[in-house]
Structure formats: C-alpha cells, structure tokens
C-alpha cells in the first residue's frame, strides 16, 4: 500500500494529539489503523528499500552468519572453535550459536508468556509504562519515546534481572506464568553468557586457557556480578512496511547480546560489507552479537555492528534479547593486556552513567555513542 492510497487520519492525529503514540504500536493496531501514521514514517533515505536493497525480503540478501557450536567450545575441539569465534567477532560482529543446552521448554515458555503479555488489554500493559531507564520493569515503545524524532514500529517489555531476587517482585504478575518463565530463562541465558565470556577472554588472549579463569577468579567476578536485561520485543504486522522500521540502525551498548529470533518471521538485518542483509533464522539457536562495551574492552579488535529490524505486512513478530554487560557501577576500558606500543589505547574509559546521560539527551542511532568514546591515535 503506497502513501497515496492511505486512508483518513485518526481523529487524534488530526487534532495534533501525539499522546496516543506513547501508548505503543500495539495500541494503535488494536484501534484498527490502516496506514502508518506520520510519526512512524522515516525520511526517504532511511527507509528499508532505499539504496542497495530492492525489497524487504529478497532472498538474494539473506545471510547465514558464522555458526558456533557451543558443544565444541566445551569439548576437545575448543581450540578450533575459539578460532572460529574470534573470526566471527572480528569479521561479522555476530554469530549463531547452536547446541547451546537451553531446553526447548524454557525457550518456548518464555516466548509464549511474552506474547501473552502483549495480548493483555492496554489498561493492564500500561501499568508498567515508565520513563525511568533503571526501572525493574518497563513497558514502552520505539527506543526512547521521549527523544525519538520518528518512532520505531516496536513495543517492548524490559525486565531488569540483576539482582534477580530484588527485581522479581516488580515484574508483571500477569500473565500468571510470566515471572516463572522469565526467571528460568534469565538464569539459563546468564549461565550461557558466562560460558561465552570465558571463551571470549580466551580467544582475545586475556586468559591463557580455559583452566586459568573460573568463577572464583577476579577476571570473571565482575562479569558474574554484571547487568542483565531481558527485552521482549513485539513488532505488530504493519500496513506499510516500506515506510518504517521495527528498530532503526544501531549497535548494542553492552558486552554481549543473546537474541532469540522469531523462527517463522524474518526481520533482523545487519550491515555487512556495505549492504543490509537479512539474517536467516536457524531453529533452536541464538544470534549472539558483540556490543559496544566488548569493542572497547577488546580495544577495537571485536566490532559491534549496526543492525536494524524490518517489519512484516502480514505477520507480527516476537523476539527476545538478553543483554549482558559489566555492573552498572563499572568502568569499561580496553583490557591492559590488549594495549601496547603497536596497539595503543583506542577508547576512553566509559561507564553506564555516561551512556545513560547520552541516550536521555540524544537519539540512540547508528554507533554515535561509541564514536564519542574513541580516542585519536
């Protein structure tokens, strides 16, 4: 459907009342909109079909990311698996993780309970709306709905998971099984993240081998106490998907993100070799990506990569991101073991406070925040 074929404006939009957009895309869809409101329409140059891509779902631009077998990382092929991991983080900033050990039941339960949350009446969902970026639970829309010039076609439920015992009482009590599903999921993904951190440190040469760094060692203690946020993303079907995006191009600010893709509805794209390419889902796998904090920690060796989300004209899409990093109180800096005369320090020391201050005053897009942390070498 082209803009010229769109139907009449919603009465609230005619009055110039934009408050409705802060209620989320799901709310608008429940009201029966038949076109994309102006608040969600991107400038032509930023739309998903602009430039090198010719069509949202062109098979010519599907991408199979490097595949890392978690079982091999834990077995006799660890050396080869670490080499593959290093190449993936350097060349793609993304990889798909198979044989991760998290049960299908744990994953299915998290997806279904997350879906049920977005199916609740707006009055029940809206109880969790908050402008507080540190709130134990936040229901919202776009990325930063208080600053975004154009809104993303996305609603989200964010659950702060650390410390779990303190956060849990604030999480939604409806749907009735959401808390249990999210607790199980958060514990399993945290364990998986810690195993990946060990592998990352070893692949960078920060630790010498798998035995030299365990949960009791100082090199892992800070990661063990680190932040974890689960984000359930809801991308409703969109009447004009060529005009908007589920998420604008951005990099993740943390250390690693473990993303559970919708296995049936594609949408994730990464910027690779100058083109936007759609990531082909692999059933029962995680898409893992390097965050800004890991790029800083690795002194630029591992790259956080721009990614965005397409929306679908016929189907809604659910994805679940588990975002991990060091504690909110930590300072992130290049590892001293990765800085020398030939490879000088490339990034300023940074912390979550700097990031939170940045995103409360600026739109979070591209790699703007990370660019602001780079040193001239």
């Amino acid at each position: 459907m082209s803009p010229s074929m769109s139907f009449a404006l919603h009465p609230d939009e005619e009055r110039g009342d934009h408050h409705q957009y802060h209620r989320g895309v799901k709310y608008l869809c429940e009201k029966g909109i038949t076109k994309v409101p102006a608040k969600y329409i991107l400038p032509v140059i930023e739309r998903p079909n602009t430039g090198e891509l010719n069509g949202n779902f062109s098979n010519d631009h599907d991408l199979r990311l490097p595949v890392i077998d978690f079982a091999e990382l834990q077995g006799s092929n660890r050396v080869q698996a670490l080499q593959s991991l290093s190449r993936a983080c350097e060349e793609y900033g993304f990889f798909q993780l198979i044989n991760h050990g998290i049960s299908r039941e744990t994953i299915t339960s998290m997806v279904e309970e997350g879906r049920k949350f977005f199916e609740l009446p707006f009055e029940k969902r809206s109880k969790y709306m908050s402008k507080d970026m540190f709130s134990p639970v936040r229901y919202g829309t776009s990325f930063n709905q208080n600053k975004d010039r154009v809104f993303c076609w996305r609603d989200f439920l964010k659950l702060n998971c650390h410390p779990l015992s303190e956060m849990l009482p604030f999480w939604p009590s409806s749907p009735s099984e959401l808390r249990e599903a999210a607790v199980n999921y958060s514990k399993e993904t945290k364990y998986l993240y810690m195993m990946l951190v060990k592998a990352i440190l070893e692949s960078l040469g920060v630790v010498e081998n798998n035995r030299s760094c365990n949960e009791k060692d100082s090199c892992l203690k800070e990661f063990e106490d680190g932040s974890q946020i689960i984000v359930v993303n809801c991308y409703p079907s969109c009447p004009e998907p060529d005009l908007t995006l589920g998420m604008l191009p951005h990099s993740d600010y943390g250390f690693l993100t473990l993303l559970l893709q919708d296995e049936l509805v594609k949408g994730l794209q990464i910027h690779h070799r100058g083109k936007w390419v759609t990531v082909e889902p692999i059933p029962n796998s995680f898409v893992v990506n390097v965050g800004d904090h890991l790029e800083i920690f690795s002194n630029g060796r591992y790259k956080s990569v721009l990614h965005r989300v397409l929306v679908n004209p016929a189907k809604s899409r659910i994805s679940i991101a588990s975002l991990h990093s060091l504690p909110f109180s930590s300072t992130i800096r290049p590892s001293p073991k990765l800085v020398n005369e030939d490879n000088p320090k490339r990034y300023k020391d940074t912390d979550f406070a700097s990031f939170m201050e940045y995103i409360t005053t600026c739109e979070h897009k591209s790699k703007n925040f990370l660019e602001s942390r780079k040193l001239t070498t």
Side-chain angles (χ1 to χ4, degrees), residues 2 56 67 101 127 186 230 234 260 264 279 281 288 306 335 357:
S2 68
N56 282 2
V67 175
K127 290 191 298 184
S186 67
I230 288 177
C234 175
L260 192 65
L264 300 177
V279 176
V288 181
L306 289 178
S335 171
E357 181 181 359

Side-chain angles (χ1 to χ4, degrees), residues 99-150:
N99 294 327
H100 47 71
I102 299 180
S103 73
R104 193 70 180 177
E105 180 183 2
T106 297
I107 288 172
T108 300
S109 178
M110 184 68 233
V111 172
E112 290 307 310
E113 295 307 312
R115 192 187 308 276
K116 287 177 186 176
F117 174 85
F118 291 104
E119 292 171 353
L120 293 173
F122 173 74
E123 292 72 22
K124 290 190 175 181
R125 301 195 305 265
S126 63
K127 290 191 298 184
Y128 302 100
M129 286 186 164
S130 172
K131 294 181 180 180
D132 180 6
M133 304 291 279
F134 291 99
S135 176
V137 56
R138 287 181 64 219
Y139 172 54
T141 192
S142 195
F143 182 83
N144 181 353
Q145 64 198 65
N146 300 307
K147 291 292 178 183
D148 292 347
R149 175 177 45 87
V150 178

